[in-house]
Amino acid sequence: MCTSIIEIARAEGMAKRGDAWFPLSRAVVAYDHARHAPLGDVITLDFINADLDPGARAGVELTLETAKELRAALDRAISAADFEEAEVRGKGVVLRVVPAA
C-alpha cells in the first residue's frame, strides 16, 4: 500500500553517479514500499538535479530504524558544526543559558 508520505527540500551540494559528480537542486524524502532493497516499507532519500537528465540522481533506501539513527547522527554533527562555526570561527552566536544565582 502506498503511503503518499513525501517531503521535498531545496538541496545545495554535490552527488556522485558512476565516476562523475553533479550539482544537487532537490532532496526528496519519502516513506513507502522498497523498490530495490529486499525490505518492506523504507525511508527513501533521493538527491537530484531536476535540470539534468533523469539519471542525475543518487538514491538510498533505509529501514525506518536506520533512518532514525542517521537523523540522530546528523543532529549531532550539525550541533558540532554550529558550535565550530560560532565559537571557533566566530561566524555566529551560540546562546547559552546562565543559571540564576
Side-chain angles (χ1 to χ4, degrees), residues 15-69:
K16 189 174 184 181
R17 64 174 168 180
D19 292 334
W21 287 84
F22 63 94
L24 297 176
S25 63
R26 301 261 187 282
V28 179
V29 181
Y31 182 67
D32 209 343
H33 54 276
R35 302 280 195 289
H36 303 284
L39 302 167
D41 288 337
V42 294
I43 293 289
T44 301
L45 305 174
D46 277 314
F47 299 96
I48 64 172
N49 186 323
D51 296 329
L52 299 177
D53 64 88
R57 168 187 184 270
V60 178
E61 293 180 342
L62 304 170
T63 64
L64 188 55
E65 189 57 39
T66 298
K68 290 175 182 179
E69 291 177 20

